[in-house]
Amino acid sequence: MAAIRLSHLTKKFGAFTAVDALDLLIPDKEFVALLGPSGCGKTTTMNMIAGIEQATEGQILFDDRDVRRLPPNQRDVGFVFQNYAIFTHMTVYDNLAFGLSVRKLARAEIDRRVREMAALMRLEDRLEWPSSKLSVNELQKVAIGRSAITEPAIFLLDEPLSNLDAAFRAFMRTELKHLQHQFQQTMVYVTHDQIEAMSLADRIAVMNLGELQQYGTPAEVYNRPRNTFVANFMGSPSMNLLPCRLIAEAGALCFGFGEAGRLDAGGDGAMQHRARAAAGAEVIFGVRPEDLEIAPPDGPGGLKGVVSFVEPVGPRTIVHLKLAEQTVKVAKEKRYKVSIGAAVRVTAPMAKCHLFDAASGEAIGLG
Amino acid sequence: MAKLEFIGVSKSYGRNVAVKDVDLVIADNEFFCIFGPPSCGKTTLLRLLLGLVQPDQGEIRINDQRVNALGPKERNLAMVFQNLALFPHMTAGQNLAFPLVERKIDKAEVARRVAAVAETLRIGKLLKKLPAHLSGGERQRVAIGRALVREPAAFLMDEPIAALDARLREEMRVELKRLQRELKHTLVYVTHDQEEAMSIADRMAILEGGMIRQVGTPDEIYNHPQSRYVAELIGSPPMNFIKGTFDPAARRFRADTFGFETTIGLSAPGVAGGVTSFAIRPEDIVIREAADQGSGVVAEVYEIEPLGAYAIVDVNIGETILKVMVPGQPSYQLRQPIRLDFPAGKCHLFDGATGALIAGAA
Amino acid sequence: MTAGLAHAGGGWLPRPLRVLFADEVKRLGFLMSLPAQLLLLFIVVFPLLMQIYVSLTYWGPLDGESWIYAYKSLNPFENYGELFADGRFWASIARTMLIVVVSVPIEFLLGLGLATLFVDRFPGRRIFYSILLTPMMIVPAVAGYMFFMLFQSNGPINDLLGRLTGLQVDFVWLSDPDLAIVAVMIADIWQWTPLMFLILLAGMMGVPEDQLKAATLLGANSWQRFWRIVLPKMKMVMIIAAVIRVVECFKIFDLLAVMTKGGPGVETETLSYYIYKLTFADLEWAYVAALGLFVLIALSLLAWAALLRLQIAQRRAETQPGA
């Protein structure tokens, strides 16, 4: 069991900086996701924690122990590879036993623990199989079991679910989370899939271009994104980010969206406060698709729009609206009926809206 | 401008049956998705339509005309492949013009048509660039443009956007839908992504092992699956299944591993009972306080997966894990007891052995 | 061309061919490869038949008649009988075996060691690599000549040994009945270790890196990684490398021809060299034919037995659960 502290961690490949002065504290027994698009430095960070990659600068501490100079086989770290890296010339049993047998444990002890792990991973009837004959789903279970069996203080997973079919992925997501609660290990999980990160992690570190964008609980990252990158990356469909004009009229503030109309910031105190902080700046108005409301076209307030496209995606219906210059997505329940071309009005509860600086992309007035 | 038809079409490669007894009508002007797991025969259907392979049996018709004997060129269908197959040494504009130049159409006409297509696809500014300098989405548009410029009778696309990243895929599918609507072409679209198929199709066909399992609108497929296979394949998070037995006389279903019993409204009498699966979608299950009286069963929260706009609550009930989708960001505790309701109109009952639908949702 | 056959139904063909011709693709494949097959038949089968024929006679170049008339001295099995009583023949086989059994394992171990060094990147790797591979590129006769010079009694090797030990060293390497074969083996090892190294290095590079990383992260040290991951994964490559060298070594000739000419006496005469002498010094062509056939059959039987073992092992692997 160990907390991981990365301070000023940097990795350069020649002139390219893959990870740039990363500071991150991963508390003991927490499940932390490193999330970002490909090339954001998340895998490099994980490889440095494991010791497969040498840091150019900075420190890696496990609890208070500096491990930067420690070879990977002495770091006591479990690692599940994206492609599982199962030893194809061995049986499932030998794969599971590997970590214990290189530690020269007694045969009986190894046997007991392998069988225990096999039962936990539901692999009992596969133990004697050559691993080359396993399905992808089973390979994944062997990969996790093989690492977990040595009871490492830290468990690292590199996109372990990305090769699985959708149904098994949904199942493994639950199982993985449950396993973490059982193993009580510090887990670091690399993924580019925000759904996986949201559903699994205690905390999410959102990365882009080698830099940390935001670090917080899923709720924090989702509800209070620090910048437009995080706002756009989290959630599916992504947040509507609409450039707009701040208009002050008779003491009240509102957001102007050209021909489509205006949204009044008045009702909500916090938003008033934020809008004032932004006075004079170009701003981007952000609102999540599920927070928008669709209303008949002839009421007061809101923005005028026309339904341009309706996507039924199973449990939900995504309605695309064309405003004067912009398009917004609204998420509604399944079987929501609206016809393409219909004129509607869309309203946004200010308490659930966000404001970003158009130039820097930073959130405005976030505490 | 084409109606496409398969009539009793079968095709095998050696001992492998790729497509079996397929009857399918794709209406003019329709956005039609063919959906199924890998190697279910979806690509073979496209190749049969294109004329790249000959059916062993049956007939393929385009606009009510038998085309079995026609070669790919005479069928005038355009294909967009997954790997795009743009010519890397030609600019986007030259790529667009290629099918026309090859047909020896005069220069002024080529220029006019390329310009028109570039306008529709909004790639006017890219025409001078080489494919290597285009982004994934732009390359995709050029590939579609190259198919479009020929003015084909119908479009066939084989996982055209599968290689793009998630965000771009979402954008491209809206774009494709808009294009299809504006151009009024028949479009046959093969995909293994159920969400993509659902969001984009006017109608879709679900394949399994070369056979068509169900054809219908996304709404019909999602809400009225005719077999357990279709129900499992479509929807994410996947549909919940509860094993149990069904007594057709009393119209009662009883779960195997926990105390749950319900009356099933049968649309047709005379079904066999026995081992069955009771099924319900995650978003249709209702969670109430455990202390509430009345209907439903008591279960325990196993895990919570918050996804922002909604959360998936995994509940444990008699060693069965059910997934429940709840809007917003609920705050349940692990192991907290809750009461689950399965609204009668939203449940399905499938035969345990064959997977056939016994009773469907209202 | 194929259409005619298809319509005729190939009824006039023997059954296996009829089956073959029922399938369009297979038929085309057969017809396209037919010329090559015929050529191969001519190249392989004809000389073999000729050899069998001659081996049953006393025919030789001094008879002054074409081999076609060899039947005039027909003497079935006499040559074969002689073979079993030929001590020089069996001694040459034993000597060949000795070279194989000593040289190949040494080459193998040296090659494996070098491959282990070269699988990781280090500065100057390419240059060392090129230098290491040069012996293999040298024409064997030239290599033989080099070692002929090196092993002279007043040559560099004795000189070096003398300087190292401080004693007067004057081994007469190439004329000493015991040392001559050692000298030949040293030359063989020098020349062919690089090939072993090359094949084994290629095999070692093919060991999936992620599996090695996984082993490291599971706590394995480099020794454990080598024994538990690298070696088992290289089994096939090792077998191939060993087989190539065993077969090559069995045919060792050039080095001997330059270094010792089979001498002193017949002390370094290998199978190939003995056959050479029989052919060109003794002109015993019919006897050589019989001897060649015997070796061919013996080796084929050995190869067949080895293959059978492999097949059995494979079948056993396949009948494991999950097949």
Side-chain angles (χ1 to χ4, degrees), chain C residues 2-321:
Chain C
T2 57
L5 273 173
H7 288 305
W12 47 275
L13 289 164
R15 208 184 112 74
L17 283 183
R18 268 210 306 279
V19 174
L20 185 70
F21 278 86
D23 186 309
E24 200 176 321
V25 179
K26 281 188 192 154
R27 180 169 62 224
L28 190 65
F30 177 77
L31 287 173
M32 305 250 303
S33 65
L34 197 57
Q37 305 249 17
L38 288 175
L39 189 68
L40 203 66
L41 202 71
F42 185 76
I43 292 172
V44 176
V45 177
F46 176 70
L48 194 66
L49 290 175
M50 180 180 154
Q51 191 184 355
I52 293 172
Y53 170 53
V54 169
S55 76
L56 301 175
T57 70
Y58 277 147
W59 179 78
L62 299 180
D63 290 7
E65 272 188 305
S66 161
W67 63 274
I68 296 178
Y69 302 106
Y71 64 86
K72 287 180 180 167
S73 58
L74 189 67
N75 201 335
F77 311 121
E78 193 66 25
N79 284 330
Y80 293 95
E82 210 173 304
L83 198 63
F84 285 96
D86 185 351
R88 211 173 139 195
F89 167 65
W90 294 108
S92 76
I93 286 195
R95 213 167 283 120
T96 312
M97 293 288 192
L98 178 72
I99 297 178
V100 168
V101 168
V102 175
S103 298
V104 174
I106 293 178
E107 286 165 21
F108 182 85
L109 289 177
L110 284 175
L112 191 64
L114 285 169
T116 316
L117 287 180
F118 273 74
V119 77
D120 294 318
R121 268 167 233 292
F122 59 87
R125 179 170 173 264
R126 283 178 150 241
I127 297 166
F128 284 116
Y129 183 74
S130 310
I131 294 173
L132 257 178
L133 291 188
T134 28
M136 203 176 83
M137 316 287 185
I138 293 174
V139 178
V142 175
Y145 179 70
M146 272 170 53
F147 277 90
F148 176 72
M149 303 294 278
L150 290 172
F151 280 119
Q152 290 303 311
S153 50
N154 56 355
I157 289 184
N158 275 350
D159 188 46
L160 189 72
L161 287 176
R163 279 167 203 275
L164 285 176
T165 56
L167 301 169
Q168 171 78 16
V169 178
D170 47 5
F171 290 137
V172 278
W173 289 92
L174 301 175
S175 314
D176 184 295
D178 297 322
L179 286 180
I181 198 156
V182 175
V184 169
M185 286 193 283
I186 289 174
D188 188 75
I189 291 166
W190 178 82
Q191 183 158 37
W192 296 114
T193 297
L195 178 67
M196 206 59 120
F197 160 68
L198 193 68
I199 300 174
L200 292 176
L201 181 64
M204 214 174 267
M205 303 278 249
V207 174
E209 200 164 335
D210 53 347
Q211 292 186 31
L212 286 171
K213 275 188 197 164
T216 311
L217 288 162
L218 286 168
N221 58 31
S222 43
W223 188 243
Q224 286 167 325
R225 280 200 300 277
F226 183 74
W227 275 109
R228 312 260 326 247
I229 312 287
V230 177
L231 276 190
K233 294 227 175 255
M234 286 180 61
K235 204 154 84 188
M236 215 51 223
V237 175
M238 287 175 170
I239 291 174
I240 291 169
V243 166
I244 290 178
R245 276 307 298 145
V246 166
V247 169
E248 282 294 309
C249 204
F250 216 82
K251 300 189 290 193
I252 185 169
F253 179 81
D254 336 41
L255 286 174
L256 290 163
V258 180
M259 288 173 73
T260 65
K261 297 212 181 305
V266 294
E267 287 301 332
T268 57
E269 210 169 66
T270 61
L271 186 61
S272 297
Y273 207 79
Y274 179 47
I275 289 176
Y276 163 77
K277 277 192 179 162
L278 279 176
T279 313
F280 292 100
D282 307 343
L283 301 179
E284 294 266 13
W285 289 11
Y287 183 58
V288 169
L291 195 151
L293 264 179
F294 176 80
V295 171
L296 178 72
I297 290 166
L299 281 182
S300 301
L301 282 175
L302 272 176
W304 178 74
L307 256 173
L308 203 68
R309 275 210 54 186
L310 263 180
Q311 267 174 357
I312 290 167
Q314 208 168 348
R315 204 163 305 147
R316 197 173 298 149
E318 274 167 16
T319 48
Q320 271 179 318

Side-chain angles (χ1 to χ4, degrees), chain B residues 220-264:
Chain B
E220 285 165 358
I221 301 270
Y222 188 80
N223 295 311
H224 304 283
Q226 293 303 303
S227 60
R228 180 174 168 146
Y229 177 78
V230 173
E232 271 181 328
L233 211 55
I234 298 287
S236 170
M239 196 182 258
N240 295 299
F241 294 92
I242 300 169
K243 266 177 136 185
T245 38
F246 180 57
D247 175 4
R251 301 192 166 179
R252 293 291 281 176
F253 170 84
R254 178 175 306 180
D256 280 347
T257 54
F258 56 98
F260 168 60
E261 229 180 283
T262 185
T263 305
I264 302 284

Side-chain angles (χ1 to χ4, degrees), chain A residues 50 52 72-73 77 79 81 83 85-90 98-99 101-104 128-130 133 146-147 150, chain C residues 208 210-222 224-225 228-230 232-233 317-318 320-323:
Chain A
I52 308 176
N73 57 337
V77 158
F79 198 108
F81 288 80
N83 60 2
I86 295 300
F87 305 130
T88 43
H89 59 289
M90 296 182 191
F98 190 89
S101 71
V102 297
R103 284 174 175 71
K104 306 208 164 62
E128 298 313 318
W129 281 35
K133 298 217 160 96
R146 183 180 71 177
S147 296
T150 62
Chain C
D210 53 347
Q211 292 186 31
L212 286 171
K213 275 188 197 164
T216 311
L217 288 162
L218 286 168
N221 58 31
S222 43
Q224 286 167 325
R225 280 200 300 277
R228 312 260 326 247
I229 312 287
V230 177
K233 294 227 175 255
E318 274 167 16
Q320 271 179 318

